[in-house]
Amino acid sequence: MEGTESAPNYISIVDVPEEKIEILPGASSDLTSMTFSIKEEDHTLGNSLRWAIMQNRQVDFCGYSIPHPSEAKTNLRIQTTDGSNAVDAMDKGLDDLRSVCQIIKGKFQQRLAEGRFAQTD
């Protein structure tokens, strides 16, 4: 594809503010279950992150909800097996989701460089 060499990289990593994610009250004392609230996010991240976290064999349950359409936040509930904890499951899920996105981006850029795409009028 002509001109792709100088195309800008639109995906960048930005600093995430400390208050982006909070742990809501009601976590179990052994930390195997807790609910995280992620501000300024919706179904796009909620469902993707739920999927990534559920790939972890130490996770028994992961679900998300949008408390109210007028609130810009997503609540994500994680329950893990004994011997693991929800914070580690969340951390692994975020890392795994980032890896999946990087792989997809790499394949996309490879296909563009090879000219393997269809153009529509």
Side-chain angles (χ1 to χ4, degrees), residues 21-85:
I21 300 176
E22 68 176 315
I23 298 172
L24 297 180
S28 63
S29 59
D30 61 357
L31 304 180
T32 58
S33 63
M34 62 180 57
T35 302
F36 300 87
S37 183
I38 309 169
K39 295 179 182 157
E40 302 298 325
E41 297 298 342
D42 59 15
H43 295 285
T44 304
L45 181 65
N47 196 37
S48 300
L49 190 52
R50 181 204 57 79
W51 173 84
I53 291 169
M54 283 303 298
Q55 303 309 302
N56 183 343
R57 291 178 186 238
Q58 294 181 318
V59 173
D60 290 330
F61 172 82
C62 182
Y64 80 96
S65 65
I66 307 294
H68 191 275
S70 67
E71 289 184 85
K73 67 179 178 180
T74 299
N75 291 341
L76 187 82
R77 176 79 175 171
I78 301 173
Q79 292 174 227
T80 63
T81 59
D82 292 335
S84 63
N85 68 67

